[in-house]
Amino acid sequence: MSLITAINISVRFAGKEIFSNVGFQVDPGERIGLVGPNGSGKTSLLRMLVNEVSPDSGEIRVASGVCVGYLSQNVHELISGTLLKFLLDSVPGRLKIRDEIQKIEKILKNNLNEQEQKRQALRLAELHHDMARLDIDYPAHKAEKILEGLGFKSDDMGRPVSELSGGWRMRAALASILYQSPDLILLDEPTNHLDIPSVRWLEKKKKKYNGAMILVCHDREFLNHQVGRVISIEPEGIRSYAGNYDA
Ligand SMILES: Nc1ncnc2c1ncn2[C@@H]1O[C@H](COP(=O)(O)OP(=O)(O)OP(=O)(O)O)[C@@H](O)[C@H]1O
Ligand SMILES: [Mg+2]
């Protein structure tokens, strides 16, 4: 079953037609390069897949339970907290569990009757159990390894993300997506802010990742190594080609 299916999508911006009745699907594990001239709609297409842009007509279907990670072309959202903590908190569900733990710990400081105390303590034990499971699935050392692969130094782990320059913030965002290991990764020009060692590291890392990926990238060599199918935005619409960019 496909992860995502786009059916008959049409989009206009300020009267200009970007897509007209286009459709495509993304299957599990597929590596897709998304190409097209500047301004042809590559970023808009990715943003549609994560529901940041709504098509004027047509439908995007995401299979249930599918997790999509999106690295935008401009990482400008304010990311709070220190670098390592930002990564750990990006794990789906972790923040919610931590918030609830804090809330219950506060409640338990009040004078509760015995029954209520027991109820809250039980819930707290459950939450700690869930958190411990997340710690096993997403260990902190894995987050550190990814950050190091993308060029961060061990001194950086405790630095506030807000102190980082745009390029390094983008690396932090990329690291958090890789750490979450979603079913589908959407990367919009990830190599723009990376130096050569980090690009090489990312290449190796992505080879090991089993999920699907849509990659927008002007670096043909990088694209050729990474993809097995190309979706091309052409004046006549969207076309899909088997093989890498050269093919
Ligand atoms: N929110 C918006 N409102 C109005 N116009 C928009 C909006 N988003 C994109 N556009 C326009 O839609 C067109 C497609 O933009 P998009 O950013 O998707 O192209 P792109 O292929 O990613 O370009 P690039 O290669 O420069 O990154 C452009 O003409 C852009 O100016
Ligand atoms: Mg773009």
Side-chain angles (χ1 to χ4, degrees):
M1 192 174 145
S2 297
L3 300 173
I4 285 194
T5 312
I7 307 159
N8 268 334
I9 299 294
S10 298
V11 179
R12 301 180 80 88
F13 284 129
K16 184 179 156 211
E17 184 174 89
I18 308 291
F19 298 115
S20 170
N21 290 316
V22 306
F24 60 91
Q25 60 189 51
V26 180
D27 289 334
E30 263 197 306
R31 302 303 179 96
I32 299 170
L34 175 60
V35 302
N38 287 347
S40 59
K42 301 179 295 294
T43 297
S44 306
L45 192 141
L46 296 185
R47 294 184 69 206
M48 255 182 324
L49 299 183
V50 290
N51 219 355
E52 281 186 15
V53 166
S54 312
D56 298 320
S57 62
E59 197 190 336
I60 308 272
R61 281 192 200 146
V62 182
S64 90
V66 166
C67 174
V68 182
Y70 170 50
L71 179 73
S72 74
Q73 195 170 5
N74 304 300
V75 183
H76 37 60
E77 321 91 274
L78 198 72
I79 306 173
S80 63
T82 59
L83 185 60
L84 184 59
K85 193 160 164 292
F86 158 68
L87 240 71
L88 298 177
D89 286 348
S90 71
V91 170
R94 185 178 249 145
L95 264 182
K96 205 169 144 236
I97 295 175
R98 210 185 46 215
D99 285 352
E100 203 180 336
I101 287 178
Q102 283 172 354
K103 217 161 80 195
I104 295 185
E105 282 172 346
K106 229 184 239 164
I107 293 174
L108 281 169
K109 283 189 188 137
N110 297 332
N111 274 329
L112 303 173
N113 66 42
E114 201 177 323
Q115 195 188 6
E116 183 58 14
Q117 176 127 17
K118 220 168 160 181
R119 202 178 69 84
Q120 296 288 354
L122 251 148
R123 177 71 191 135
L124 189 61
E126 252 174 35
L127 289 166
H128 278 299
H129 178 263
D130 292 347
M131 190 63 114
R133 224 183 34 215
L134 277 187
D135 287 339
I136 291 170
D137 291 344
Y138 299 91
H141 69 81
K142 191 178 143 201
E144 285 179 23
K145 238 175 105 180
I146 292 172
L147 288 166
E148 280 164 14
L150 287 171
F152 288 101
K153 301 274 170 286
S154 44
D155 289 352
D156 293 328
M157 303 295 157
R159 274 180 70 187
V161 179
S162 56
E163 267 183 17
L164 303 175
S165 68
W168 285 97
R169 225 182 271 191
M170 176 272 176
R171 291 186 194 211
L174 175 58
S176 84
I177 292 167
L178 296 171
Y179 183 52
Q180 293 166 51
S181 194
D183 306 291
L184 170 63
I185 290 185
L186 311 177
L187 299 177
D188 202 344
E189 308 205 5
T191 58
N192 276 7
H193 300 285
L194 298 180
D195 55 12
I196 295 186
S198 304
V199 170
R200 293 290 159 262
W201 178 87
L202 182 61
E203 264 182 349
K204 269 199 246 151
K205 175 87 193 158
K206 293 231 283 327
K207 288 235 163 84
K208 280 197 245 163
Y209 161 73
N210 297 320
M213 177 179 74
I214 302 181
L215 175 65
V216 177
C217 185
H218 291 297
D219 179 340
R220 285 188 190 178
E221 198 192 337
F222 188 78
L223 208 56
N224 269 327
H225 288 161
Q226 298 286 328
V227 307
R229 175 183 164 200
V230 172
I231 291 180
S232 166
I233 304 178
E234 301 180 0
E236 311 78 51
I238 281 185
R239 288 188 65 181
S240 176
Y241 300 89
N244 66 11
Y245 188 81
D246 281 350

